[in-house]
């Protein structure tokens, strides 16, 4: 991104008045934005621990440059499918008409088992207004994107996310958001939504998916009804449900689990945000 565009975006983020953005024919707003191109690469796993080889197969333009590319495996160890979304027809239903779909959580949803997808995109919050792809290679340690958040207790992301799938028809991917919390000595992973990407023939348009950066949350307690801990678990405290940013200080970290089945290009655009919850 050039300096002029970056300066324009940062200025917009801190402006007290936001002008509404017009929606273009591709489904995305017009105006200054950051772009992240998620590129599926067939040899990405071979990069682990060998920066020089990674540079050679990915190319100097993208591997360690300031460009917009972020590399993910072309085929991940865990495939898109049921997941949190409940959709079972990814890559198999060319007539459903949904190429990009955001599925939000329905009430507080957490798990005590760590998500088992090996490809992750971590998001680091910053209050200085900056946006940067810090690590653009989603190898075993994951890639990292730095995003601006509000400098208050809410820590809302200051950008709206629009995303679409491009490339060869018949491929698919699934992105699932998780915010990690430590309760006593127990790790909880809070589900924040899924983005389903099912590339079909024809025009692919952007879908808004900003809500993947918020989570339906509740205070939890260990419920032991029979006195021996057998079969009991963490449950929500009645009346404690609320909506939180995934960058709230309650959470240790936030990441996307990225599952890919042949998709070579997913395009994300981040625009200055003009509205916040509450």
């Amino acid at each position: 991104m050039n300096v002029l565009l970056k300066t324009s975006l940062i200025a917009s983020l801190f402006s007290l008045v936001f002008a509404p953005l017009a929606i273009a024919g591709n489904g995305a707003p017009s105006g200054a934005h950051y772009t992240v191109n998620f590129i599926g690469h067939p040899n990405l796993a071979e990069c682990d621990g060998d920066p020089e080889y990674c540079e050679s197969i990915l190319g100097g333009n993208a591997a360690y440059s300031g460009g917009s590319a972020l590399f993910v495996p072309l085929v991940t160890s865990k495939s898109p499918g049921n997941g949190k979304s409940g959709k079972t027809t990814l890559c198999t239903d060319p007539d459903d008409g949904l190429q990009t779909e955001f599925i939000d959580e329905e009430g507080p949803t957490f798990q005590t088992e760590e998500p088992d997808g090996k490809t992750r995109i971590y998001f680091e919050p910053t209050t200085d207004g900056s946006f940067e792809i810090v690590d653009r290679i989603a190898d075993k340690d994951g890639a990292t994107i730095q995003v601006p958040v509000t400098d208050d207790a809410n820590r809302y992301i200051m950008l709206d996310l629009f995303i679409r799938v491009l490339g060869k028809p018949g491929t698919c991917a699934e992105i699932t958001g998780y915010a990690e919390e430590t309760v006593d000595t127990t790790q909880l992973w809070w589900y924040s939504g899924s983005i389903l990407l099912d590339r079909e023939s024809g025009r692919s348009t952007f879908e808004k998916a900003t809500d993947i950066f918020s989570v339906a949350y509740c205070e939890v307690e260990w419920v032991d009804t029979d006195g021996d801990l057998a079969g009991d678990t963490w449950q929500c405290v009645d009346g404690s449900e609320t909506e939180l940013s995934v960058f709230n200080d309650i959470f240790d970290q936030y990441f996307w689990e990225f599952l890919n089945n042949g998709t070579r290009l997913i395009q994300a655009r981040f625009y200055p945000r003009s509205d916040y919850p509450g």
Side-chain angles (χ1 to χ4, degrees), residues 57-75:
I57 65 172
L58 296 180
N61 180 52
Y64 304 104
S65 75
S68 62
L70 188 156
F71 290 90
V72 297
L74 186 63
V75 177

Side-chain angles (χ1 to χ4, degrees), residues 124-138:
E124 294 181 348
T126 177
T127 57
D128 66 3
S130 61
F131 180 99
E132 182 181 358
I133 304 176
V134 178
D135 184 345
R136 64 186 63 254
I137 302 173

Side-chain angles (χ1 to χ4, degrees), residues 120-194:
R120 293 183 178 182
I121 312 296
Y122 292 93
F123 288 83
E124 294 181 348
T126 177
T127 57
D128 66 3
S130 61
F131 180 99
E132 182 181 358
I133 304 176
V134 178
D135 184 345
R136 64 186 63 254
I137 302 173
D139 56 13
K140 62 183 179 181
D141 297 320
T144 304
I145 301 175
Q146 186 180 77
V147 294
V149 301
T150 56
D151 190 11
D152 56 25
N154 294 314
R155 293 172 67 84
Y156 295 125
I157 188 170
M158 299 178 70
L159 303 170
D160 273 324
L161 168 64
F162 287 78
I163 191 166
R164 67 175 173 177
V165 60
L166 297 170
K168 181 181 178 181
T171 62
C172 60
E174 183 170 4
I175 296 169
T176 304
Y178 292 99
E180 183 179 347
E181 180 190 18
T182 303
V183 180
D184 296 329
T185 59
T186 300
Q187 299 299 116
L188 303 179
W189 285 270
W190 293 86
Y191 170 63
S192 68
S194 297

Side-chain angles (χ1 to χ4, degrees), residues 186-252:
T186 300
Q187 299 299 116
L188 303 179
W189 285 270
W190 293 86
Y191 170 63
S192 68
S194 297
I195 302 171
L196 309 182
L197 302 133
D198 193 0
R199 180 63 172 130
E200 302 174 5
S201 59
R203 184 180 181 84
S204 177
T205 58
F206 284 95
E207 294 293 331
K208 188 176 181 180
T210 309
D211 283 348
I212 201 170
F213 294 108
S214 65
V215 64
Y217 178 79
C218 67
E219 296 179 23
V220 297
E221 60 182 352
W222 181 261
V223 179
D224 177 18
T225 58
D226 54 15
D228 62 3
L229 302 182
D232 300 321
T233 187
W234 294 97
Q235 295 182 13
C236 286
V237 175
D238 288 345
S240 68
E241 293 82 1
T242 188
E243 192 82 12
L244 293 179
S245 165
V246 297
F247 302 112
N248 191 286
D249 286 340
I250 287 176
F251 302 117
D252 302 325

Side-chain angles (χ1 to χ4, degrees), residues 38 80 253:
F38 296 96
Q253 63 181 359

